Amino acid sequence: MNIAVGSTNPVKLNAVRQAAQEQWPDVVVTGFDIQSGVSEQPRSDEETRQGARARAKAALQAGGKTTRLGLGLEGGIHTFNNELWSTVWVAVLDRTGEYYESNGARFKLPKTIGDKLAAGEEMGPAVSELFAGDNIKQKQGAIGVITRNFVDRTTEYASIAKLALGLWFGRTRCRVSCV
């Protein structure tokens, strides 16, 4: 199984490997430097979803003919009840042109982080600055800082990627017998 990922961020690549290895132990995950086509800090569910889809499509194309799936993983924020929340979208695109998507890891951002994002900053650099970290978005992520590494960004993204991959994997069964 060859999977192309629309990012070279080690967190995203490791998340896809974790998500896929149980089903496909010999999975080959290749990252490509893909632009999402959305802002550096997506600020709505729809924008975050668009970024994931764009990354999946470009990754599938970049991966060549031996690539079976393109994956796009995009983190963003959205406003809910006047509070800023983190969100993640994962899109899987196969060679038939069908998307399989999942969304999750929604959590309310602490006010200190939310204030910086409301002022227009991007989450990774804002969290790095607040907590004296270096390139946090390619390491434990905001979730790792907030939870003191009880959950890190790789684990956060892997569960959402596994769900999207599972939706693709189960697709033929549901075309026949799912209600």
Side-chain angles (χ1 to χ4, degrees), residues 147-159:
T147 66
R148 294 188 329 187
N149 291 316
F150 191 84
V151 177
D152 66 19
R153 192 172 187 216
T154 300
T155 303
E156 173 190 27
Y157 277 46
S159 64

Side-chain angles (χ1 to χ4, degrees), residues 18-143:
Q18 279 184 20
Q21 278 182 331
E22 185 177 324
Q23 186 64 42
W24 305 291
D26 60 343
V27 67
V28 175
V29 176
T30 307
F32 294 92
D33 188 12
I34 303 292
Q35 296 302 308
S36 67
V38 299
S39 60
E40 284 292 316
Q41 180 59 74
R43 296 188 172 273
S44 69
D45 262 330
E46 188 53 38
E47 185 181 14
T48 308
R49 182 180 182 220
Q50 286 174 345
R53 281 179 155 237
R55 286 180 187 277
K57 183 177 181 181
L60 186 62
Q61 292 170 346
K65 293 184 181 196
T66 61
T67 298
R68 188 137 182 216
L69 300 173
L71 261 77
L73 300 89
E74 191 74 22
I77 57 174
H78 69 106
T79 302
F80 178 71
N81 289 340
N82 294 317
E83 300 168 330
L84 279 181
W85 285 65
S86 178
T87 187
V88 177
W89 279 86
V90 175
V92 173
L93 179 64
D94 66 17
R95 292 252 166 234
T96 70
E98 293 289 323
Y99 282 98
Y100 300 85
E101 299 168 289
S102 59
N103 169 244
R106 294 177 180 268
F107 59 92
K108 181 181 165 188
L109 292 164
K111 185 172 176 14
T112 54
I113 297 171
D115 288 347
K116 285 193 160 290
L117 300 179
E121 293 188 39
E122 182 188 351
M123 185 157 355
V127 173
S128 290
E129 180 185 318
L130 282 168
F131 298 98
D134 181 35
N135 202 9
I136 284 175
K137 74 180 188 176
Q138 291 193 355
K139 295 178 182 171
Q140 75 269 37
I143 192 65

